[in-house]
Amino acid sequence: MLTLPAPSPAAPPLPPAPEALPAARQRVRWQRRGRSRPWPRLWSERSRLLERQHSRIEALLEQLIDGEASTAGCRQLVRALGLHLRLEERWLAEVGCLCPGHRYSHRQAAELAGCTPAGSAERLGWLLDLQEWFHLHRHGADAVAYARAAAAPVPLSSASR
């Protein structure tokens, strides 16, 4: 039988191996690392990030529509959509390409997303409505605003930050 020596009071305890950490704690570590990355400064980088978010939200919508539309999955969708819309508004406003109609459209989506139905039959209709709004918005208002932002002159103060 192998016995380990008792740790001395002067030596600091060793951290547990990453495999020994609970999953929740590992996720917190990953999130902290993710937050330490700086936000993109140029519109070209920002638009790529926003488009990746669009694709993830569309994939999640399809997954929920095709599979079991669980309450947890719907909450994840609502959270992802809310975060995306706020970030998109902030970045479009910074380059002067967020019109009141675009913002109003986001408010409509937020209201629709905030009314998650309890029943699975109603939830499917709700998801289809959200999917339709998202598709039309992504290829309509977002496409126009992103094109305007890409054509806008880059202010020196924001590019150098």
Side-chain angles (χ1 to χ4, degrees):
M1 180 170 174
L2 179 65
T3 58
L4 297 175
S8 71
L14 295 174
E19 308 86 49
L21 291 174
R25 206 159 149 211
Q26 286 178 0
R27 191 173 333 140
V28 169
R29 277 191 176 177
W30 179 83
Q31 288 173 346
R32 285 190 186 138
R33 272 190 303 225
R35 280 192 221 139
S36 66
R37 280 181 283 184
W39 286 107
R41 298 283 182 207
L42 300 175
W43 175 255
S44 59
E45 296 167 346
R46 289 177 172 187
S47 65
R48 281 193 299 271
L49 188 143
L50 292 170
E51 287 296 342
R52 283 194 309 269
Q53 288 179 341
H54 281 152
S55 297
R56 283 193 298 265
I57 292 168
E58 281 184 339
L60 182 55
L61 272 164
E62 288 175 17
Q63 176 187 352
L64 290 169
I65 289 169
D66 293 342
E68 177 62 33
S70 67
T71 304
C74 291
R75 275 195 302 254
Q76 179 185 359
L77 172 68
V78 168
R79 184 174 185 276
L81 183 60
L83 291 172
H84 168 73
L85 295 177
R86 284 195 304 271
L87 185 60
E88 182 180 90
E89 281 186 17
R90 181 174 134 202
W91 284 351
L92 285 173
E94 282 182 12
V95 292
C97 296
L98 179 66
C99 69
H102 196 144
R103 187 174 298 215
Y104 178 73
S105 179
H106 284 189
R107 293 298 146 262
Q108 288 177 318
E111 286 176 21
L112 177 62
C115 303
T116 312
S120 60
E122 298 86 16
R123 204 174 296 150
L124 179 59
W126 172 79
L127 286 167
L128 290 170
D129 288 345
L130 266 176
Q131 184 182 44
E132 180 182 12
W133 176 89
F134 193 76
H135 178 77
L136 292 173
H137 186 77
R138 181 179 186 183
H139 298 288
D142 279 355
V144 170
Y146 287 23
R148 286 182 180 152
V154 179
L156 293 176
S157 61
S158 68
S160 63
R161 277 193 248 165

